[in-house]
């Protein structure tokens, strides 16, 4: 028997040896090729077999490389600097403690808002991670390249219709977003030239960019998309954007039926005002029918069926009485209302202590408006830090959040006799995301004075905030 044949025989028998060990049985009887070396003592034979098999697998079995080795390009350098080296362990600990994808998204958006990015060894977005900040676009495209046979493309130039195909998808979307902010007409013209060549999912993502600086100049293009695009979801998005420009569906029988679920009444003796009230629903079928009618309506057509302008409808709506009706109207405003109407609805809801509804409007609000509503709700309505974080997004910089009712509630909960080390984790994490750098430092001082240890992992987000220079753009 040659050495090669003997090695193949041993390797073939290794499966039976490992199987017996896995099941807790003696494996020496299956290793007949080492009968002499193993000896007659059963216990000693198992030890010798373990040593021999380990040596054999380590020296005689090697992995064969792929026939073709492909070296991916270097990971691109991002436009923002990496978090300082001394803070990376804190970033990793936060990421490890918050295993949900949403928590990682919150952290990287917070870092980007403060002018920083993660180290690629600590966190990298997946190729399809549309929730990642735009600054990571080149990393998303790098992931696409690394997982495919694609080659790096030149993206140093500004995006044009001519070099459109030189950009990978994430970098192209980020460049188009920036162009839309700077020159809306140029961005629309590029979409007119290139959108049809993209997949349905890509068309949906790119068309959504028109919501930035949406204007009447976009109407002809959106009307063509709404009429001709083969993908229903793309057509629906175009129709929604048209509705924001006052080109929604005309009032018809369905909208008239929807208006029938509501009545307009007057209140007040000296200063009489109109109130839009929901009529009581008597059956589950009526609940489903009203919701379906809302889903197919536009804000302009619905308010028109009630004999009101959209801004009059929002001002007269009787908030906090029928939550389902409130949410349906909010969804209608988000989908088909102008930016001014979204802002008006947020103000109206804030005044009526219906802060939970503002969270649905928040993605349509400017960063400064989101922060204003979050701080007002914290101070006036006593909402939690978690809800305030949902409202504010990544741009919040609250200077003294612990002075709000949520802060007093948090301190009281931490002082309770039955308080446990794992209590208030979400609130403390949200506090770290909301506070300004000075606010984070003050909060750390107050929380440690209240008895929390300096190294308490619940304070990690506050510690990161307090230690990180704020180099981001102020909203």
């Amino acid at each position: 028997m040659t050495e090669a044949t003997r090695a193949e025989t041993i390797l073939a028998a290794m499966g039976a040896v490992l199987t017996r060990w896995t099941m807790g049985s003696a494996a020496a009887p299956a290793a007949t090729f080492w009968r002499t070396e193993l000896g007659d003592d059963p216990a000693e034979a198992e030890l010798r077999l373990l040593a021999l098999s380990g040596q054999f697998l380590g020296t005689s079995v090697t992995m064969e490389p792929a026939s073709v080795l492909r070296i991916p390009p270097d990971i691109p350098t991002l436009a923002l600097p990496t978090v300082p080296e001394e803070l990376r362990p804190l970033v990793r600990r936060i990421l490890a403690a918050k295993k949900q994808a949403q928590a990682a998204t919150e952290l990287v958006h917070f870092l980007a808002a403060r002018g920083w990015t993660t180290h690629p060894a600590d966190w990298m977005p997946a190729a399809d991670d549309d929730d990642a900040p735009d600054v990571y676009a080149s990393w998303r495209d790098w992931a696409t390249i690394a997982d495919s046979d694609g080659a790096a493309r030149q993206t140093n130039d500004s995006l044009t219709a001519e070099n459109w195909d030189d950009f990978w998808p994430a970098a192209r979307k980020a460049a188009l977003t920036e162009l839309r902010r700077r020159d809306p007409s140029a961005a629309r013209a590029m979409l007119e030239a290139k959108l049809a060549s993209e997949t349905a999912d890509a068309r949906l993502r790119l068309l959504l960019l028109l919501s930035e600086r949406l204007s009447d100049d976009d109407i002809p293009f959106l009307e063509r998309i709404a009429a001709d695009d083969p993908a229903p979801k793309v057509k629906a998005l175009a129709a929604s954007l048209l509705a924001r420009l006052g080109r929604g569906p005309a009032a018809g029988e369905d909208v008239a039926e929807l208006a029938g679920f509501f009545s307009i009444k007057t209140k007040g003796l000296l200063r009489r005002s109109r109130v839009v009230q929901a009529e009581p629903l008597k059956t589950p079928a009526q609940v489903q029918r009203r919701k379906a009618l809302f889903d197919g309506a536009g804000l302009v057509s619905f308010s028109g069926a009630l004999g009101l302008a959209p801004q009059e409808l929002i001002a007269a709506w009787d908030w906090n009485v029928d939550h389902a009706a409130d949410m349906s109207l909010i969804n209608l405003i988000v989908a088909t209302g102008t930016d001014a109407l979204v802002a008006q609805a947020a103000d109206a809801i804030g005044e009526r202590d219906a802060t939970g509804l503002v969270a649905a409007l928040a993605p349509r609000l400017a960063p400064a408006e989101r922060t204003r509503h979050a701080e007002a709700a914290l101070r006036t309505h006593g909402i939690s830090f978690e809800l305030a974080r949902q409202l504010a997004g990544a741009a919040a910089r609250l200077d003294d959040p612990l002075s709000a009712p949520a802060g007093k509630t948090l301190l009281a909960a931490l002082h309770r006799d039955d308080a446990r080390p794992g209590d208030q984790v979400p609130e403390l994490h949200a506090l770290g995301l909301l506070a300004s750098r000075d606010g984070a430092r003050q909060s750390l001082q107050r929380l440690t004075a209240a008895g929390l240890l300096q190294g308490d992992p619940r304070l990690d987000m506050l510690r990161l905030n307090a230690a990180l220079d704020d180099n981001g753009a102020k909203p």
Side-chain angles (χ1 to χ4, degrees):
M1 179 182 293
T2 65
E3 284 297 321
T5 304
R6 178 175 171 76
E8 291 177 359
T9 301
I10 295 174
L11 182 61
M14 276 289 109
V17 170
L18 296 175
T19 299
R20 287 179 176 233
W21 274 339
T22 301
M23 299 179 66
S25 303
T32 56
F33 42 85
W34 281 330
R35 187 183 305 277
T36 303
E37 290 83 353
L38 298 181
D40 297 327
D41 184 338
E44 180 68 18
E46 292 301 314
L47 293 174
R48 292 182 179 183
L49 177 57
L50 179 62
L52 287 169
S53 60
Q55 186 177 25
F56 170 77
L57 293 173
T59 59
S60 301
V61 180
T62 58
M63 293 291 294
E64 292 186 5
S67 57
V68 178
L69 294 178
R70 187 173 59 84
I71 301 176
D74 292 340
I75 298 175
T77 300
L78 301 181
L80 296 177
T82 303
V83 166
E85 190 67 25
E86 63 271 18
L87 295 180
R88 284 184 56 201
L90 194 51
V91 170
R92 288 194 295 270
R93 193 158 86 164
I94 293 171
L95 289 170
K98 301 287 182 179
K99 299 185 186 303
Q100 307 94 332
Q102 179 60 34
T105 300
E106 291 171 1
L107 177 59
V108 296
H109 274 278
F110 168 85
L111 292 175
R114 299 298 174 93
W116 300 94
T117 56
T118 61
H119 190 284
D122 300 335
W123 181 86
M124 283 193 74
D128 59 351
D129 188 356
D130 287 329
D131 291 331
D134 284 345
V135 69
Y136 292 97
S138 59
W139 281 9
R140 291 178 55 199
D141 288 335
W142 181 88
T144 301
I145 297 167
D147 292 340
S148 68
D149 294 328
R153 300 176 186 173
Q154 176 59 257
T155 58
N156 292 330
D157 298 330
S158 298
L159 179 67
T160 65
E162 289 70 30
N163 66 12
W164 177 274
D165 293 328
D166 293 339
F167 284 67
W168 282 86
R172 181 190 299 140
K173 179 175 176 286
L176 194 60
T177 299
E178 177 58 31
L179 180 62
R180 179 65 176 179
R181 292 170 182 157
R182 188 177 69 253
D183 189 346
S185 297
R188 183 185 63 254
M190 201 173 301
L191 283 178
E192 288 180 306
K194 292 296 184 178
L195 193 65
S197 62
E198 298 295 321
T199 64
D201 286 340
R203 294 199 305 277
L204 187 69
R205 290 192 295 270
L206 293 172
L207 189 64
L208 188 58
L209 300 182
L210 288 187
S211 60
E212 180 89 18
R213 300 190 64 179
L214 187 67
S215 72
D216 289 347
D217 293 338
D218 301 316
I219 289 175
F221 174 55
L222 290 171
E223 287 178 338
R224 287 197 297 274
I225 297 296
D228 301 333
D229 196 279
K233 54 188 177 182
V234 178
K235 297 175 74 168
L237 176 57
S240 174
L241 294 174
L242 283 168
R244 296 185 195 179
L245 295 169
R247 299 298 182 94
E253 292 182 1
D254 285 350
V255 178
E257 182 183 353
L258 175 60
F261 283 97
F262 299 88
S263 60
I264 301 177
K265 299 179 180 180
T266 57
K267 66 176 182 178
L269 296 176
L270 299 178
R271 297 185 59 185
R272 301 182 66 80
S273 59
R274 291 175 295 185
V275 179
V276 177
Q277 295 182 339
E279 296 292 341
L281 300 177
K282 300 178 181 179
T283 66
Q286 285 184 322
V287 174
Q288 294 301 318
R289 179 57 179 166
R290 189 180 70 179
K291 183 180 183 304
L293 291 170
F294 263 119
D295 291 342
L299 182 61
V300 172
S301 60
F302 175 48
S303 61
L306 289 169
L308 301 171
Q311 59 270 26
E312 292 175 326
L313 170 63
I314 294 170
W317 191 264
D318 197 14
W319 301 100
N320 275 349
V321 176
D322 185 328
H323 182 72
D326 289 347
M327 280 306 308
S328 292
L329 180 63
I330 289 296
N331 292 335
L332 199 64
I333 294 169
V334 169
T336 65
T338 64
D339 290 345
L341 292 172
V342 170
Q344 181 194 352
D347 288 338
I349 291 169
E351 291 172 1
R352 296 292 298 274
D353 193 12
T355 310
L357 297 172
V358 182
L361 292 169
R364 290 277 318 269
L365 295 171
E369 285 295 295
R370 294 184 66 168
T371 299
R372 180 176 69 83
H373 281 288
E375 186 163 21
L378 271 173
R379 306 290 179 192
T380 307
H381 303 309
I383 66 170
S384 67
F385 288 131
E386 279 194 276
L387 180 53
R389 181 205 52 76
Q390 294 177 35
L391 297 183
R397 291 174 172 86
L398 306 188
D399 287 330
D400 188 17
L402 278 182
S403 65
K408 298 172 183 176
T409 301
L410 175 62
L411 290 169
L414 294 171
H415 274 122
R416 287 174 51 179
D417 293 338
D418 59 347
R420 296 172 299 177
D423 289 347
Q424 304 301 320
V425 172
E427 277 291 271
L428 287 165
H429 182 73
L431 174 61
L433 291 168
L434 281 169
S436 66
R437 189 183 187 189
D438 287 341
R441 289 172 170 172
Q442 294 174 17
S443 296
L444 280 173
Q445 292 173 358
R446 292 187 63 183
L447 288 166
T448 53
L452 269 67
L453 298 177
Q454 289 279 356
D456 193 319
R458 291 177 293 177
L459 301 178
D460 281 350
M461 191 63 231
L462 275 167
R463 272 198 296 275
L464 177 62
N465 189 339
L468 197 65
D469 287 338
D470 187 353
N471 299 325
K474 305 301 187 289

